[in-house]
Amino acid sequence: MSLIMREPGLYTSIQDLGRQKFQHIGIVKNGSIDQLNHRLANMLVGNDEDEALLEMTFKMPSIQFTEPTLIAITGAHFPAYRDDKKILPYKIHLMNKGEVLSFEDAHKGTRVYLAIAGGIVADEWLGSKSTSIRLGMGGHKGRLLQQGDEIELFRNYSPLQKKLFANLEETKTADWGVDQYTLALNYFTDIFHIISGEGMSHFKQDEIKNLENRVYKVSNRFNRTGLTLEGESIVNREINDQSFLSVKKGTVLLNEENQLVIMLNDHQSLSSYPQLGTIASYHIDKLAQKKQGSKIIFKTLSIEEAEKNMKKHAQFVKQIKTGIKYKLQEEMQKQIET
């Protein structure tokens, strides 16, 4: 029994939180780009936070369920339907045998995460089930999902998940979830904090100021490798004799056309392009939800300032997770009416 991809969507793949500790040999991390929404989706259905799930991008798929299945949807606002009935994100839903999950076009955002209680079966490579499209490894045959693909369910149900099946047998949907408005400020602002990097020394002070004084937009050149931005360049000269520097998720580069590029999960390990710095970790996830035409406004921060903000962000995330754990404990204590 499995999930069947009736329509694959434009860029649907299996991802977990990525491959760790292999970037020094040129193997990129891969994994879900919006890791907060990845974690929240898994938490809602009682999975470990790093369990593999479906990352769905731009155009959503249509998925048929061949057995009762608990799901949670997080991320971008693509209205979702169980057959013809609308269902809400950030809640637990019980899909019955034969039912189809489908989506309308997005209102906001780019990527949606679909977690399945108990997990899904996928190819593992270097300790991760994440799909590496470039290398053809991991996930489902190392590629994007296609029409007709069947994704086997792991069915490794915990006592909590078995209780959720019973609790939702009649209602089909939990009466609680994560408040989307709580997450809105985290995702839909246009300001991105950038921390100066080693390559910043190649830029003049007035050029660095240009970075904050201009508004950029995401171009049509964006994917899992990075976002290329449109807008007036911060420099009008060629920067030569660049040494190779390490690249990570969130690194901001100036490419050969003097366009700003923000690197994402499937980035290369090294680059000789001039680097302006790195997006602060607490603003990385919202990069995943920016689409063509989205505004990007940079604000430079010191490491000390970023660390203070990081602590605040960690506390914000902790509060959301604590709320989910509390509600799941309540589910375990519910008595089923007969």
Side-chain angles (χ1 to χ4, degrees):
M1 305 295 278
S2 57
L3 312 179
I4 300 174
M5 306 301 296
R6 289 182 47 171
E7 296 290 339
L10 184 60
Y11 209 99
T12 304
S13 66
I14 294 174
Q15 301 291 340
D16 55 24
L17 294 182
R19 293 177 178 85
Q20 312 297 330
K21 303 178 182 178
F22 294 101
Q23 289 169 283
H24 67 288
I25 57 173
I27 296 174
V28 300
K29 185 178 178 181
N30 303 122
S32 291
I33 296 182
D34 183 346
Q35 301 216 335
L36 175 56
N37 270 311
H38 178 117
R39 292 176 185 275
L40 295 181
N42 272 322
M43 286 189 70
L44 283 165
V45 294
N47 289 344
D48 290 340
E49 292 182 28
D50 62 352
E51 183 62 60
L53 45 59
L54 298 190
E55 180 182 76
M56 307 175 290
T57 309
F58 309 135
K59 181 181 178 183
M60 296 294 101
S62 173
I63 303 170
Q64 186 168 31
F65 294 77
T66 63
E67 63 182 277
T69 309
L70 292 171
I71 69 166
I73 305 163
T74 63
H77 187 191
F78 285 76
Y81 293 85
R82 178 205 294 120
D83 284 346
D84 295 327
K85 184 176 180 180
K86 189 172 183 178
I87 60 175
L88 296 176
Y90 297 99
K91 301 187 76 162
I92 311 168
H93 303 282
L94 175 60
M95 301 294 293
N96 285 330
K97 179 180 178 180
E99 289 185 327
V100 175
L101 176 67
S102 60
F103 299 85
E104 292 181 356
D105 292 339
H107 293 174
K108 283 187 177 180
T110 303
R111 292 178 172 88
V112 172
Y113 294 86
L114 172 64
I116 310 296
I120 55 179
V121 177
D123 301 331
E124 189 170 313
W125 180 57
L126 296 179
S128 170
K129 295 179 180 179
S130 286
T131 308
S132 174
I133 305 299
R134 187 182 303 171
L135 298 179
M137 302 295 288
H140 186 76
K141 302 179 182 180
R143 59 166 171 76
L144 300 176
L145 297 181
Q146 299 175 2
Q147 186 174 8
D149 280 346
E150 296 189 24
I151 309 300
E152 192 71 18
L153 304 184
F154 222 105
R155 305 181 194 85
N156 185 25
Y157 300 126
S158 66
L160 167 62
Q161 290 165 334
K162 292 176 182 177
K163 189 68 165 66
L164 287 170
F165 271 107
N167 291 355
L168 300 181
E169 185 174 359
E170 295 297 327
T171 63
K172 308 304 179 188
T173 299
D175 59 4
W176 59 272
V178 176
D179 182 8
Q180 295 182 68
Y181 294 101
T182 301
L183 291 169
L185 290 177
N186 187 68
Y187 278 95
F188 296 121
T189 60
D190 299 324
I191 296 174
F192 286 82
H193 293 170
I194 181 170
I195 306 166
S196 300
E198 185 180 351
M200 186 70 87
S201 59
H202 293 278
F203 297 93
K204 301 173 183 177
Q205 197 60 41
D206 61 333
E207 292 172 339
I208 296 172
K209 288 181 179 179
N210 286 339
L211 185 66
E212 289 191 310
N213 293 335
R214 293 173 181 169
V215 176
Y216 296 90
K217 288 187 178 181
V218 178
S219 73
N220 61 359
R221 294 161 60 186
F222 73 114
N223 51 33
R224 286 183 52 88
T225 300
L227 308 172
T228 301
L229 306 183
E230 295 176 339
E232 187 179 355
S233 177
I234 66 168
V235 301
N236 55 12
R237 62 189 176 92
E238 184 177 352
I239 301 177
N240 298 312
D241 302 323
Q242 272 290 122
S243 58
F244 278 85
L245 297 174
S246 63
V247 174
K248 60 183 179 179
K249 185 177 180 180
T251 296
V252 182
L253 307 173
L254 198 64
N255 68 14
E256 58 190 5
E257 300 169 342
N258 280 345
Q259 291 176 304
L260 293 173
V261 180
I262 308 174
M263 307 309 293
L264 293 177
N265 292 47
D266 294 358
H267 59 77
Q268 66 267 34
S269 299
L270 296 170
S271 174
S272 62
Y273 288 135
Q275 297 185 16
L276 288 102
T278 304
I279 300 297
S281 61
Y282 50 84
H283 278 170
I284 290 288
D285 288 326
K286 71 177 178 179
L287 281 174
Q289 300 300 347
K290 294 300 181 183
K291 57 186 178 181
Q292 183 178 357
S294 295
K295 293 181 181 179
I296 302 285
I297 300 170
F298 292 104
K299 180 180 179 182
T300 57
L301 260 67
S302 67
I303 293 177
E304 292 75 19
E305 290 173 315
E307 286 177 345
K308 290 179 181 178
N309 290 335
M310 195 183 308
K311 291 177 181 178
K312 293 178 183 178
H313 179 73
Q315 184 62 32
F316 163 75
V317 173
K318 182 179 179 180
Q319 289 174 348
I320 295 174
K321 290 183 177 181
T322 299
I324 294 174
K325 291 176 182 177
Y326 176 79
K327 298 302 291 188
L328 289 174
Q329 289 173 356
E330 284 192 335
E331 291 287 346
M332 282 295 287
Q333 297 167 2
K334 279 184 179 179
Q335 299 296 319
I336 304 299
E337 295 182 3
T338 57

